[in-house]
Amino acid sequence: AQKVTQAQTEISVVEKEDVTLDCVYETRDTTYYLFWYKQPPSGELVFLIRRNSFDEQNEISGRYSWNFQKSTSSFNFTITASQVVDSAVYFCAPMDTGRRALTFGSGTRLQVQP
Amino acid sequence: DAGVTQSPTHLIKTRGQQVTLRCSPKSGHDTVSWYQQALGQGPQFIFQYYEEEERQRGNFPDRFSGHQFPNYSSELNVNALLLGDSALYLCASSRTGTASEQYFGPGTRLTVT
């Protein structure tokens, strides 16, 4: 059975610090997709990034960067120069090939202090 | 370009009653998925509709049912409400295809008393 783990329950940083959110996805499937969503206090889930398990290249998109280590099934999501507006709950959500449903982790609450 | 919309925003029901939640997908999207999010937890997949049929279902009882209309909008029905059904119900729309991004609506907060 698939298992997604976000071990960090809550992280607090000061504005302009870099912050990394961890996600581990255990599955027997060799091909899958992983999504990151942000849920601010308003409650609406916002799509951030989608990556494929077969693409090990790290990627940068604006202040967001992405590090995937296939050997440990670990997906790290980094926000550079954090801002107060980044305060939210961040969810890692894998999707196996052939399925169309997202499996959400328990989320990491990020608090960015001014 | 309107995003995903859901109605109502909030709803209070009594145990044993039935409820219907509504969702309109983002323009250009033909697939609708429903998720339940209990307080302090990640969303859990209920089911997905495409071409007016339930295409995939999560681990939810038959009390949860749905429908998709020809204009791609969707309804979620819950019968015989339990206290444990109190949650935020999220609708997500996407284009059909492998691992398409799902875009979420603001949700309907259901409280069962």
Side-chain angles (χ1 to χ4, degrees), chain A residues 33 35 37 39 43-45 47 50 91 95 98-102 104-106, chain B residues 35 37 41-43 45 48 55-56 90 98-106:
Chain A
Y33 299 85
F35 298 75
Y37 283 85
Q39 189 172 39
E44 188 164 340
L45 281 162
F47 166 72
R50 181 189 79 168
F91 290 100
M95 181 189 292
R99 285 179 55 83
R100 297 176 173 86
L102 295 165
F104 284 83
S106 54
Chain B
Y35 292 82
Q37 186 177 22
Q41 297 181 22
F45 175 70
Q48 184 180 86
R55 181 159 68 174
Q56 197 161 41
L90 295 161
T98 302
S100 296
E101 299 94 71
Q102 296 186 11
Y103 290 86
F104 285 80

Side-chain angles (χ1 to χ4, degrees), chain B residues 13-19 78-83 85 112-113:
Chain B
K13 289 286 189 178
T14 303
R15 191 171 48 185
Q17 287 188 317
Q18 178 262 346
V19 68
V78 186
N79 293 323
L81 284 166
L82 304 174
L83 296 179
D85 295 331
V112 182
T113 62

